[in-house]
Each structure stands twice: as C-alpha cells, then as structure tokens.
Amino acid sequence: MTIRIGEEAPDFTAETTEGTIRFHEWIGDHWAILFSHPKDFTPVCTTELGYMAGLKPEFDKRHTRIIGLSVDPVSDHTRWVGDIEETQGHAINYPLIGDPDLHVAKLYDMIHPNASGGARTAADNATVRSVFLIGPDKKVKAMLIYPMSAGRNFDEVLRLLDSLQLNAKHTVATPVNWKPGDDVIIPTSVSDEAAKQKYPEGFKTLKPYLRYVAQPR
C-alpha cells in the first residue's frame, strides 16, 4: 500500500525488544516517530540508533514516543544493542520492532511488495530507511526516506516535530531553516482581519501572501 501524509498510519501488532505491542495502542495520546533500518549489525544504523537513544529525553519533553524497526528478529536486536551501547555511548531506551517476515516494512511501503522474508542482505533491504512522524490522531504528519549510505539527521527530525506540533497547536507555518523561537508565517487561509484579531501585537506583511509574526507561545 502507499502511505500518504494526512492518512491514518497503518496499525499492526509486532514483537519488540520491550514485548508485544499493538501500534496504535502503544502510541496512545502521544506523538510517535517510527524509523526503520535495513539490517541489524550495520554501521550507519548503529550510529543512528545510538544517537536517537541520546535524544530520547528531548522527544519525551515533546510528548513523543520513538520506536525503531529492523527486518531481523528480536533475538538479533537484543544482541545488537550491546554493540550500540559500547560504540555509541548510549543504551537503547526505546523499543525495536522485529520484522523478519517484512510485514511492517510492506505495510508502510518501505520495501518492494514482492520481497520475501528469511535470510537477506542489507542491500536486499535498501529501501527500508524511512522515518514516519505520526500525530496523536494516528495520522501521518511527515515522512523522510534516506539511502543506505547517508546517516539521517535526527536533529532535523526533532526540528520538524517542533514545527508540526506548533502548527497543530497554533495553525501557523514555519519558513525555511526555521528554528524554535524564530518568527513564523501566517497561512494564507487566515485573512488579515482574522490575523489582526489573533495577533493584536501586530505582524509584518512582505506580500499579501507572506506575513510573519512572532512565534506563538
């Protein structure tokens, strides 16, 4: 199936390093980030999983749960986490989904639909390098897909999450390279009259369609 922004994230039941989960139930009223990897004991993924463990307190502050996936069994995950802690300095503090039959990978359109489970190389799983940001309403808010050779920028994932949460709360958009605390954009769906009521302190109009205002708190 094809995953699109704004649609409901597919639900599933899976084994993880923290036991069996039902995905939507596990999310609860939180935001969630599902990020996948092509294979256990691979170099780039090892650095990513360790970095995300170090970032977890930041996601906790944002009421966001993180969960990883690799198309290997949980038994392999439990052996891999020792290497991650040893080399990256952070113990895995979030669940890792075991997906040896490729059920979740196919459900989220991360891999060719005709792919089969069993013994596979990382190259066979090359497309399983995805990030899904999911809201408390269980809808997909954003997606990122990377090649195997490039480690993901999870600081950017955190920045993107901040932008999504700001929009969800205040219905604003964020400009290029926005960082928390920077001015934001008033969407064109908001009229000038409505904007004046919403932002009595004023806003800056560069063009009728480009209006900046201080980030709402």
Side-chain angles (χ1 to χ4, degrees):
M1 62 183 294
T2 300
I3 306 297
R4 294 184 175 89
I5 291 174
E7 294 183 347
E8 184 173 280
D11 196 12
F12 58 84
T13 299
E15 296 300 316
T16 80
T17 52
E18 296 184 3
T20 304
I21 66 159
R22 175 82 178 267
F23 189 50
H24 283 191
E25 183 180 280
W26 177 83
I27 293 173
D29 64 351
H30 292 71
W31 288 70
I33 294 174
L34 168 63
F35 63 108
S36 61
H37 305 84
K39 191 82 178 150
D40 290 5
F41 303 102
T42 50
V44 175
C45 299
T46 298
T47 65
E48 292 181 331
L49 287 165
Y51 194 80
M52 276 297 266
L55 268 186
K56 185 175 181 294
E58 291 300 320
F59 289 105
D60 290 341
K61 291 177 188 176
R62 292 159 173 82
H63 200 60
T64 300
R65 291 180 167 168
I66 58 178
I67 189 166
L69 174 147
S70 181
V71 290
D72 282 313
V74 170
S75 57
D76 284 358
H77 295 355
T78 56
R79 292 189 297 115
W80 188 22
V81 296
D83 289 357
I84 294 167
E85 181 176 7
E86 178 187 345
T87 62
Q88 306 304 308
H90 293 288
I92 298 301
N93 47 14
Y94 50 85
L96 295 179
I97 298 167
D99 193 32
D101 62 358
L102 310 181
H103 173 66
V104 181
K106 290 183 179 181
L107 196 60
Y108 277 76
D109 196 29
M110 303 176 194
I111 200 166
H112 194 282
N114 293 331
S116 59
R120 299 173 59 83
T121 68
D124 294 327
N125 306 330
T127 56
V128 190
R129 295 267 295 160
S130 305
V131 183
F132 297 89
L133 289 86
I134 300 165
D137 58 1
K138 314 303 184 292
K139 292 183 178 179
V140 176
K141 305 300 182 182
M143 299 181 292
L144 300 168
I145 301 173
Y146 280 65
M148 288 179 60
S149 59
R152 285 167 282 196
N153 185 334
F154 285 113
D155 291 331
E156 165 60 12
V157 174
L158 193 65
R159 188 196 74 91
L160 176 56
L161 175 65
D162 283 335
S163 176
L164 293 170
Q165 291 187 337
L166 190 65
N167 173 266
K169 185 175 181 180
H170 297 288
T171 318
V172 294
T174 53
V176 62
N177 295 332
W178 172 87
K179 298 184 295 296
D182 291 349
D183 287 354
V184 298
I185 289 172
I186 302 171
T188 54
S189 57
V190 178
S191 68
D192 278 347
E193 287 305 313
K196 289 173 184 176
Q197 293 181 9
K198 188 173 183 179
Y199 306 109
E201 302 85 2
F203 52 89
K204 181 167 60 177
T205 301
L206 301 186
K207 293 288 183 181
Y209 57 85
L210 183 55
R211 299 165 297 172
Y212 285 89
V213 69
Q215 177 185 319
R217 302 294 178 183

